[in-house]
Amino acid sequence: MLDDVKHIILILSGKGGVGKSTVSTQLALTLKERGFKVGLLDIDLCGPSIPYLLQLEGKDVHQADGGWVPVYTDDKQNFAVMSIGFLLNSRNSAVVWRGPKKTAMVKQFLTDVCWGDLDYLIIDTPPGTSDEHITVMENLKTVKCDGAILVTTPQQVSIEDVRKEITFCKKTGIHILGLIENMSGFVCPHCTECTNIFSKGGGESLAELAKIPFLGTLPIDPRVGQLLGKTCVKELPDSPSAKTFNGIVDRLVVT
Ligand SMILES: Nc1ncnc2c1ncn2[C@@H]1O[C@H](COP(=O)(O)OP(=O)(O)OP(=O)(O)O)[C@@H](O)[C@H]1O
């Protein structure tokens, strides 16, 4: 039930492992930090990382009259999470989702979760342009979706794949809010003033070429990978990653 959700933002990438779940989690937490009521939906059926990233593994979701009740991370119910990971019995469970089952599952995730009124819903997706993505696009046609944020890394293989994602968004009519280049340099956690960050990688050049907004870079920062439920902008306020997350949220909030 997305009727009372004011803003919906999809997080997409061409290549896997480029940091979609990390970006989804940190954007959601940054928005919550700004006082918004936020939901985070993980539709990565084969590799749901959100429960781990938020340290919510093993949480149960239950069904009420109206549908699934998401997992709330605080008593104020300002941060709600739904992931296929909550429906798997153990860490070792694996589900083989085939075409129609996959489509039905994603559709159910989009229609049957009782989000209530939310300011923002961030949707973390699997990599590529597959059944899940088409199902999402179809189901979001009737609700207000702000658009997609694309994540890439600087490597050529990732840039080539995100280029396809841009074409997919244009063909399916999804507005592109912008592109983030993740793992675009290295921050040594042992240096206090690290200068080992390079700028203007392939992501920024591609954004210029494709005429889409470039939202910023996130360096490889081992601390970001270890936040596990904590908010980058709070825990590492002076880090380049915190500046990028704050900058993206500044842009989202005014648009
Ligand atoms: N900026 C970063 N600095 C350091 N580690 C990072 C950064 N971004 C992501 N990681 C790490 O890289 C790994 C992959 O990230 P993540 O799971 O967010 O990618 P993904 O695109 O969602 O993957 P998948 O395609 O499998 O869903 C994780 O271990 C995460 O902690």
Side-chain angles (χ1 to χ4, degrees), residues 8-13 15-28 38-54 80-85 106 109-110 115 120-128 132-133 136 140 147-151 165:
I8 299 174
I9 295 168
L10 290 169
I11 309 295
L12 304 175
S13 80
K15 196 120 218 102
V18 296
K20 279 177 306 308
S21 302
T22 305
V23 166
S24 303
T25 305
Q26 287 304 323
L27 279 184
V38 183
L40 178 55
L41 174 62
D42 178 7
I43 58 153
D44 193 344
L45 300 184
C46 297
S49 314
I50 297 293
Y52 171 73
L53 289 179
L54 287 171
V81 185
M82 185 66 186
S83 166
I84 184 70
V106 171
F109 261 46
L110 290 168
W115 296 107
Y120 286 91
L121 178 68
I122 306 291
I123 305 182
D124 184 24
T125 64
E132 295 93 315
H133 306 85
V136 170
L140 292 185
I149 291 179
L150 311 182
V151 184
E165 201 77 37

